[in-house]
Amino acid sequence: MTVLPGVRDHDGMDTRFVGIPEVGEAPAVAVVVDVMRAFTVAAWAFARGAEKIVLAGSLDEALALKERDPARVALKDGPLTPGFDLVNSPGLLRSADLAGRTVVQKTTAGTVGALAVRDASLVLCAGFVVAEATARVLRARAPEHVTFVVTGEDGRADEDLACARYIARRAAGHDADAAGFLGRAAESRAATELVQGVRQGVHPDDVALCLELDRFPFAMVAAPEDSLMVLRPCAVPRP
């Protein structure tokens, strides 16, 4: 597990919230938020034993990476299709045995957002399930500027905005009533579409699993490795 050392106490942080098209020049520190469902799924993958997650830029790349090493586990949005092993659903993934495996993940928004900031000095990928752990990493690092990449709906997704703003408040050392942020996420377009079955590759528990605040004690850090963008769990500094 990656360990990020603390740098200094947090006493203020300039934050911006942008959609993927607005990222522009690589930020110094980026928090890429995809609540429903990419980074909830990623956190569950690590909880189920995955060693690392390769964030693929396209479905073709994901399939090529799987073909290069058949031991890898490939997952995508939507229904299961030939060449892929899993779909981007926490409810469907939570019983998978991924011990020691490398997962290749390609999603509509989350992986795209992480790749858009691959040149940042620190890239954290987050959802509500790792919110406090992510905030603690930011408090320990105490960066002057943090860019929150709101991946859904070109930066307008209520669930991602709510999570990003909640993490930002916690990173700044402020108390935050999680219920309001979670409620906003629960009423989002993404949550409604998942509940109503508009999206494919869905488990009935997906929304509830995406809204489990601080389900996991680790943060998730993405960084380039051998030309690939690789996500790993990160040990969190003590409070």
Side-chain angles (χ1 to χ4, degrees):
M1 182 175 286
T2 304
V3 178
L4 293 179
V7 178
R8 59 184 171 87
D9 292 336
H10 194 285
D11 60 359
M13 184 175 69
D14 175 50
T15 57
R16 60 192 287 255
F17 303 84
V18 302
I20 297 172
E22 304 163 330
V23 168
E25 183 178 348
V29 175
V31 180
V32 187
V33 181
D34 189 324
V35 173
M36 297 184 188
R37 294 165 286 172
F39 297 138
T40 301
V41 165
W44 270 101
F46 290 129
R48 297 302 301 162
E51 177 185 352
K52 61 184 178 181
I53 298 175
V54 178
L55 304 176
S58 67
L59 294 176
D60 287 343
E61 182 186 4
L63 289 173
L65 289 167
K66 171 65 186 270
E67 184 176 357
R68 195 177 307 163
D69 182 355
R72 290 169 172 161
V73 177
L75 69 85
K76 61 179 281 293
D77 279 332
L80 196 62
T81 57
F84 287 88
D85 306 287
L86 295 168
V87 296
N88 193 47
S89 159
L92 294 172
L93 182 136
R94 62 182 164 176
S95 60
D97 181 4
L98 299 175
R101 306 289 292 276
T102 294
V103 174
V104 179
Q105 184 181 34
K106 169 65 179 86
T107 69
T108 305
T111 58
V112 177
L115 290 170
V117 293
R118 64 180 302 148
D119 293 328
S121 61
L122 174 63
V123 178
L124 294 162
C125 295
F128 280 111
V129 292
V130 293
E132 185 61 25
T134 304
R136 283 172 60 185
V137 170
L138 291 173
R139 288 200 298 270
R141 293 286 293 246
E144 292 184 9
H145 307 282
V146 179
T147 295
F148 287 85
V149 182
V150 179
T151 60
E153 300 176 38
D154 290 333
R156 298 185 299 274
D158 278 339
E159 73 281 4
D160 293 340
L161 275 168
C163 184
R165 294 192 181 280
Y166 176 78
I167 292 172
R169 284 193 59 81
R170 295 296 300 135
H174 301 309
D175 291 333
D177 180 8
F181 295 94
L182 291 168
R184 180 178 175 184
E187 296 175 358
S188 67
R189 174 181 173 182
T192 300
E193 290 181 350
L194 289 171
V195 169
Q196 293 180 348
V198 173
R199 303 186 184 189
Q200 294 181 294
V202 176
H203 187 280
D205 293 341
D206 277 357
V207 171
L209 291 171
C210 289
L211 299 180
E212 280 192 318
L213 185 67
D214 303 329
R215 175 68 175 78
F216 303 110
F218 53 81
M220 299 185 292
V221 177
E225 296 183 20
D226 298 327
S227 79
L228 298 173
M229 193 66 165
V230 176
L231 186 65
R232 294 182 183 271
C234 165
V236 176
R238 293 183 180 276

